[in-house]
Amino acid sequence: MEVYTSDSSDTDSREQKTLDYGRMNLIDINLEDDLHSDAKISIKSIKDIEILLLNHNRLTRLPRTLRNFLSLRVLDLSSNCLRELPEIIGQLPLITLVAKNNQLTNESLPKSFIIKNQNSSLKELNLSGNMLTHFPEQVTELKNLRYLYVGGNQISSISKDIWRMQSLQVLSVGGNLLTDVPDSVGLLSQLQALVLCDNLIENLPTSIARLKNLKSLLLHKNRLKHLPKDILSLRDNPLVVRFVQDMSLNPPTLMELAARIVKTAAVSVEPGDLPQTILDYLSCANCCVNPQCKGVFFDNRVEHIKFVDFCGKYRVPLLQYLCSSKCIEHEMPTRPPTNGATRGYMMRKVLLG
């Protein structure tokens, strides 16, 4: 949940602007009565409240007094038993709305999250873990929304109008019933994270390769048989480029250099010759994956992305652990080397970061 920060940096002022009813095992009537209580009003004015926390209770509906929170910026309704979000939600100047883990359906959502004739201030919307069966079309009106979470529902398709959400940075639709992804997703120019895992997706659109700001793409637990050539083959794919650029090499320590010589020269070392900590260190040597190299490494290694042929159609990025930059092979073999369990373990496939 995006943390809302008011202009005031005074802690007491923030506390005065926060009303916390989280984890109080409240039911509807308890909350309604408490919001009307003279004791609570004497401490805080409802019109000044900016953060209202109602998470982890037993609420099945929201109090009618919610309409009086004219300055509300953050509303957390997660982990209740809510069956409906009233239309008044769209009339509040919210920045963050969290309604995950409830019993909401498409029919029980507000027809609009936007105040009439005004731009929406909503930047984060979390409807994960509910009972939605299709993508809520009304969210495509939220031009300023940055984070949308609708995972853990029963959504079968993503709206083709998703392209209208040009401020979107995170789109999380994992754990649904998606079978495909619309081409219009590739028009979300600001998207940095796309979560599609745990679905029934068989194909991905090539338009995803146009998401130049994408840093995270989660695809596991789907029915994908192949990925678009544009995603796998492009060397300037942002996911692969970021992975390569983030790599750095620190010089090995003197201890590692000495240990490498001992191992590569097959120097005989018996118990008692060296302290036990040194013997334990020597036993942790890892073999370089370059089949032409007989070297080893310990804590220091070179991480190198190598593109290899996959099924004669695609070039798949593999992450190699090498003992030295001199072990980088510039020619691409038709298949990755498989020289035993040790090397197989040290060369793990990295697919799109």
Side-chain angles (χ1 to χ4, degrees), residues 21 26 29 41 96 110 118 127 133 156 162 183 223 228 232 244 246 263 268 326:
Y21 286 98
L26 292 174
I29 192 170
I41 294 300
T96 297
Q118 295 186 31
L127 297 173
T133 56
S156 58
I162 189 96
D183 288 335
R223 296 180 177 178
L232 288 177
V244 174
D246 287 346
K263 297 298 289 187
S268 177
K326 296 180 180 179

Side-chain angles (χ1 to χ4, degrees), residues 19 21 30-46:
L19 203 55
Y21 286 98
N30 299 137
L31 180 59
E32 196 83 46
D33 291 344
D34 201 41
L35 287 176
H36 278 106
S37 68
D38 294 335
K40 188 68 71 174
I41 294 300
S42 65
I43 299 174
K44 302 177 180 180
S45 171
I46 282 184

